[in-house]
Amino acid sequence: MLLFTWLSRKPGNSFVYYPNRILKGLDPWDGGSRSRNPFAWIREAFSSSEQDVINMSGVDAAVYFVFLSTALAILVLSGLVLLPVLLPVAATDDNVKIQKAKGNQTFSDIDKLLMGNVKGGSPRLWAFLIATYWVSLVTYFLLWKAYVHVSGLRANALMSPELKPEQFAVLVRDIPPVPEGQTRKEQVDSYFKSIYPETFYRSMVVTNNKEVNKIYKELEGYKKKLAHAEAVYDESKKTGKPEGLRPAIRTGLLGIVGRKVDSIEHYNEKIKELIPKLEAEQKVTLRENQQACAFAFFTNRVTAASAAQSLHAQMVDTWTVMEAPEPRQIIWSNLKIKLFQRIIRQYVVSFIVALTILFYMIPIGFISALTTLDNLKKLLPFLKPIVNIVAVKTVLEAYLPQIALIVFLALLPKLLLALSKAEGIPSVGHAVRATSGKYFYFTILNVFIGVTLGGTLFSTFKSIEAKPNSLVSLLASSLPGNATFFLTFVALKFFVGYGLELSRIVPLIIFHLKKKYLCKTEAELKEAWFPGDLGYATRIPGDMLVITIVLCYSVIAPLIIPFGVVYFGLGWLVLRNQALKVYAPSFETYGRMWPHIHTRVIAALILYQVTMFGYFGVKKFSFSTVLLIPLPILSLLFAYVCQKKFYRSFSDTALEVACRELKEIPNMERIYRSFIPPSLSSEKADDDHFEDALSQVSRVGSFA
């Protein structure tokens, strides 16, 4: 925090610590960020309203903070009852002492404060049983409140009088073959005109842009290189001779080998070559590479919302209509994939993800088993003298397994995002939600269950082989032994994770290195400091893992609750600062991720309830069998009621929301043009031939 306060005040670092404010055209230090008080940013984060977050980072960021505050409230309300009640109940029993005397296991002082210190069958277990119900009821209450609140946030955002192009469009997939004598464009237009004669505006047939994208990317690359070379030449005039030194480049591989030429002339020639090539390819693409999908545009929001929710064709695998994504988040290459292909791809991807989880579980289990100090000494005897040093031993015992686990998990997100896109998902926001789900199941099955069982990995296989139905009780009995591991895992995530997040040391170093050695133009400088978004695909599953760990240990080891409270409290504070000043959203889904977050918190709750059921069984508490069975059933019922009441308004836009007045009459031509990919946009505004190729119909005037 102190490092962040010191570094963020320096004017040269404003691009790293206030990029979102700079992008919005605001003064980085407006409102006292450069005051003498090193904790002024904390006051700013606390005093900011939900509307401030929406203005700076969008509705998705505000919904994420609803999740953080809900998780924090669940843990605080649980802790207020569990800590003062359960800790004395556990501490005043002597099960650990008895087990120690028998020499069955090794115990630490922390174990005296856990549920494990209560003797099997003891009446003290009633306190733990009531606590299990308390945590569940608190979670239901706060999740319901949060769902109502997020539904309101989404509705208010969609009712906004601000014009959003995607609200006037629908995505049409699985278009049947073109009838003879018609073009694809005429087919789509005639189909929608017959259904919506008054409000249909026009359609845009999606094309295969692979070749045109390649040329466009190459052209943009040469434009950047030209700007860089010109900036280098201008700089040489100031630092060297008045006439300057023209930069040169070799024409061979990576600019290292081949004939030496003048950079500026070379790039200008390449640009002149590529512009006509791009224009020719644009016309070919629009004429010959049309796909069986399109965007249909309507003159009002209600018709578009209604069309997106309606069944248009008798056969469900033709004329599939859905809400259009934001233009910036369309995955163009996925739009052409047919319905049954998408279904098959989903099953294949699910199978690959299942295999990934299984095969990752094996190394993670071994890592958790091998990174204990005793096992390391056996495997690597030469480390003994170093490991036996008290300071080194303390650090390694606390953090070695956790660091190994965090590094292992860092390799995964890109693979899961690629798999999600391979399903045929049409938008980036949807792909991020799908990735988040896969990552959540991965972390729960591998990190939580894998590490819990991994601690007793080699004895576990024999137990499961002998009694396959003993998995729940095995998981339950393994939990207390890993309490210290997960305490330090959560602590490491908030101390180191949020420390790095706030201080932004790594982005700061990278920015200054790029600025000094690589950036010569404003565009290159902006590319170096551009912050990206909050990274929901990995951030939310990481938080979900923590809430799962804390819930599952809340009754068994109540000491973990303060760690969870600090994690979510510090996370809310630090990330609020980052959302207001640092991260810039790359897409907006108006809270579409909330139902998925809600479902996964319920999944974590059910895992906790099942685990407690197993652990009470291990403790030979006969009443638990009857009294704990209703809890998972109640959770499933709660999830079902929430899904029926709220989910539809998240998957579709309610018509009462879409019918609100706009503050301006929509310019339909501008809305239409916002969906044209950059590689197909023409720089020649008066090029009639290009316009005709683009629209494939005679031009229609604007409605504005």
Side-chain angles (χ1 to χ4, degrees):
M1 285 185 184
L2 293 170
L3 192 64
F4 158 73
T5 307
W6 175 57
L7 290 170
S8 63
R9 288 177 184 176
K10 298 188 177 300
N13 295 340
S14 61
F15 289 117
V16 177
Y17 293 102
Y18 303 98
N20 194 11
R21 291 184 66 82
I22 291 165
L23 286 167
K24 296 254 187 326
L26 302 170
D27 175 19
W29 295 286
D30 185 33
S33 292
R34 288 184 84 177
S35 68
R36 284 183 163 277
N37 181 358
F39 301 110
W41 67 273
I42 296 175
R43 190 191 67 246
E44 289 163 29
F46 272 116
S47 62
S48 65
S49 66
E50 195 166 57
Q51 193 55 48
D52 293 333
V53 173
I54 291 170
N55 294 341
M56 294 304 292
S57 283
V59 179
D60 287 337
V63 168
Y64 176 63
F65 285 110
V66 172
F67 161 60
L68 290 181
S69 55
T70 303
L72 180 63
I74 289 168
L75 299 183
V76 168
L77 282 177
S78 300
L80 286 173
V81 173
L82 269 57
L83 289 166
V85 172
L86 298 188
L87 289 180
V89 170
T92 52
D93 212 341
D94 57 359
N95 192 43
V96 165
K97 205 174 178 182
I98 293 164
Q99 295 299 325
K100 221 174 192 177
K102 288 181 183 174
N104 292 352
Q105 292 166 280
T106 55
F107 293 95
S108 66
D109 286 339
I110 287 178
D111 291 311
K112 291 173 185 173
L113 299 171
L114 310 186
M115 190 176 167
N117 195 35
V118 178
K119 290 192 281 289
S122 167
R124 290 170 184 253
L125 292 170
W126 278 106
F128 293 89
L129 185 76
I130 293 163
T132 307
Y133 265 89
W134 172 250
V135 172
S136 301
L137 294 172
V138 162
T139 307
Y140 300 144
F141 172 70
L142 290 170
L143 281 179
W144 181 272
K145 257 185 86 176
Y147 221 141
V148 171
H149 180 57
V150 172
S151 294
L153 279 180
R154 177 173 166 80
N156 288 337
L158 292 174
M159 285 191 289
S160 162
E162 299 295 323
L163 196 140
K164 301 175 182 73
E166 65 275 9
Q167 289 188 318
F168 292 85
V170 293
L171 171 60
V172 188
R173 300 170 92 178
D174 311 307
I175 301 172
V178 183
E180 251 184 80
Q182 271 191 329
T183 63
R184 175 72 75 190
K185 174 86 175 132
E186 287 165 351
Q187 177 198 17
V188 177
D189 281 352
S190 62
Y191 184 81
F192 281 97
K193 267 179 192 165
S194 66
I195 302 171
Y196 307 99
E198 301 295 321
T199 51
F200 176 69
Y201 174 61
R202 69 197 283 193
S203 66
M204 177 192 290
V205 177
V206 173
T207 52
N208 182 350
N209 302 334
K210 192 178 176 184
E211 289 304 314
V212 78
N213 282 348
K214 204 184 289 179
I215 299 166
Y216 177 77
K217 200 174 175 184
E218 195 180 349
L219 177 63
E220 290 300 304
Y222 280 123
K223 283 179 180 176
K224 280 182 186 175
K225 287 175 182 176
L226 175 64
H228 182 89
E230 285 172 342
V232 169
Y233 180 48
D234 289 341
E235 202 176 279
S236 70
K237 289 178 184 175
K238 295 169 192 170
T239 54
K241 296 174 184 177
E243 66 273 16
L245 180 68
R246 288 180 76 84
I249 189 175
R250 293 188 184 275
T251 54
L253 182 71
L254 299 171
I256 300 166
V257 293
R259 186 168 57 90
K260 204 171 188 180
V261 293
D262 183 291
S263 294
I264 295 171
E265 286 177 10
H266 174 69
Y267 295 139
N268 271 315
E269 281 170 25
K270 286 287 183 186
I271 289 165
K272 281 175 191 169
E273 279 174 35
L274 285 170
I275 286 172
K277 195 177 171 185
L278 176 68
E279 287 174 0
E281 188 57 48
Q282 282 174 337
K283 287 168 185 173
V284 169
T285 299
L286 290 159
R287 197 168 50 246
E288 297 173 14
N289 294 348
Q290 294 185 353
Q291 306 289 314
C293 50
F295 287 98
F297 296 88
F298 300 93
T299 54
N300 70 58
R301 300 196 292 186
V302 175
T303 312
S306 181
Q309 300 168 36
S310 305
L311 181 67
H312 283 77
Q314 195 173 343
M315 296 297 162
V316 292
D317 61 338
T318 60
W319 297 104
T320 309
V321 179
M322 63 189 74
E323 287 186 359
E326 276 186 310
R328 60 179 169 170
Q329 53 168 318
I330 297 167
I331 305 172
W332 293 94
S333 57
N334 280 355
L335 301 187
K336 64 179 184 289
I337 300 168
K338 294 281 187 186
L339 177 69
F340 290 116
Q341 284 181 357
R342 297 198 294 272
I343 293 167
I344 290 164
R345 280 169 177 246
Q346 281 172 7
Y347 282 119
V348 170
V349 166
S350 299
F351 179 68
I352 292 167
V353 170
L355 287 180
T356 308
I357 289 170
L358 285 172
F359 285 111
Y360 256 68
M361 199 164 187
I362 294 165
I364 280 185
F366 274 103
I367 281 174
S368 65
L370 296 177
T371 49
T372 59
L373 286 186
D374 292 338
N375 286 335
L376 278 178
K377 283 179 196 172
K378 285 176 197 168
L379 289 167
L380 307 167
F382 61 88
L383 288 177
K384 269 186 185 176
I386 303 165
V387 169
N388 287 335
I389 299 166
V390 177
V392 174
K393 188 179 179 183
T394 307
V395 171
L396 288 178
E397 275 182 340
Y399 294 119
L400 183 67
Q402 290 87 339
I403 289 167
L405 190 60
I406 287 165
V407 169
F408 219 68
L409 287 173
L411 305 171
L412 195 67
K414 283 189 178 173
L415 167 69
L416 295 180
L417 183 61
L419 285 171
S420 296
K421 287 181 178 176
E423 289 180 32
I425 284 168
S427 69
V428 175
H430 190 170
V432 165
R433 290 198 301 278
T435 305
S436 172
K438 293 175 180 69
Y439 200 68
F440 167 72
Y441 295 119
F442 180 88
T443 52
I444 295 304
L445 289 165
N446 280 300
V447 181
F448 182 63
I449 296 175
V451 169
T452 301
L453 297 179
T456 53
L457 186 71
F458 302 109
S459 59
T460 298
F461 287 133
K462 287 178 184 175
S463 307
I464 294 173
E465 201 176 1
K467 282 187 184 175
N469 60 348
S470 66
L471 192 61
V472 171
S473 60
L474 194 67
L475 174 64
S477 58
S478 301
L479 278 173
N482 289 289
T484 311
F485 173 92
F486 283 118
L487 278 169
T488 46
F489 179 77
V490 175
L492 186 71
K493 275 182 82 76
F494 69 70
F495 274 128
V496 178
Y498 287 133
L500 286 172
E501 175 67 64
L502 184 66
S503 60
R504 286 181 64 77
I505 292 295
V506 176
L508 183 74
I509 293 166
I510 292 169
F511 167 69
H512 281 297
L513 286 173
K514 282 184 175 179
K515 186 182 175 184
K516 189 170 175 64
Y517 299 109
L518 300 174
C519 301
K520 299 294 178 188
T521 65
E522 285 297 318
E524 286 173 336
L525 197 65
K526 185 179 176 181
E527 211 172 289
W529 60 255
F530 194 81
D533 61 21
L534 268 162
Y536 300 113
T538 51
R539 196 179 290 282
I540 291 173
D543 297 335
M544 286 291 174
L545 175 62
V546 174
I547 191 80
T548 306
I549 289 167
V550 179
L551 279 176
C552 287
Y553 277 95
S554 60
V555 173
I556 293 172
L559 274 180
I560 203 167
I561 294 174
F563 286 82
V565 168
V566 175
Y567 176 86
F568 285 105
L570 203 56
W572 185 93
L573 183 66
V574 169
L575 293 170
R576 195 130 178 131
N577 179 77
Q578 307 302 76
L580 291 166
K581 296 169 186 172
V582 180
Y583 293 117
S586 58
F587 61 83
E588 178 62 88
T589 66
Y590 305 103
R592 282 286 294 271
M593 63 184 175
W594 175 257
H596 304 269
I597 292 173
H598 178 271
T599 304
R600 280 156 209 153
V601 175
I602 296 288
L605 189 68
I606 291 171
L607 182 62
Y608 150 72
Q609 291 162 347
V610 169
T611 307
M612 289 311 300
F613 182 81
Y615 194 55
F616 274 109
V618 170
K619 283 287 179 186
K620 298 180 176 61
F621 191 58
S622 52
F623 299 102
S624 66
T625 312
V626 179
L627 293 174
L628 286 178
I629 283 174
L631 275 181
I633 297 166
L634 202 59
S635 295
L636 291 169
L637 191 64
F638 176 74
Y640 176 77
V641 170
C642 286
Q643 202 256 352
K644 287 293 175 191
K645 184 174 174 66
F646 299 109
Y647 183 72
R648 185 74 195 276
S649 67
F650 282 81
S651 60
D652 298 314
T653 301
L655 299 186
E656 69 172 3
V657 168
C659 73
R660 294 301 173 98
E661 288 292 318
L662 289 164
K663 69 178 182 184
E664 59 181 303
I665 298 168
N667 182 328
M668 292 308 299
E669 193 63 23
R670 197 180 299 158
I671 287 169
Y672 174 84
R673 288 195 153 276
S674 69
F675 278 83
I676 299 171
S679 58
L680 291 177
S681 293
S682 172
E683 289 180 6
K684 298 180 182 177
D686 58 343
D687 190 340
D688 287 342
H689 184 63
F690 184 87
E691 278 290 315
D692 290 338
L694 183 68
S695 65
Q696 298 277 306
V697 290
S698 56
R699 274 185 270 173
V700 184
S702 166
F703 275 90

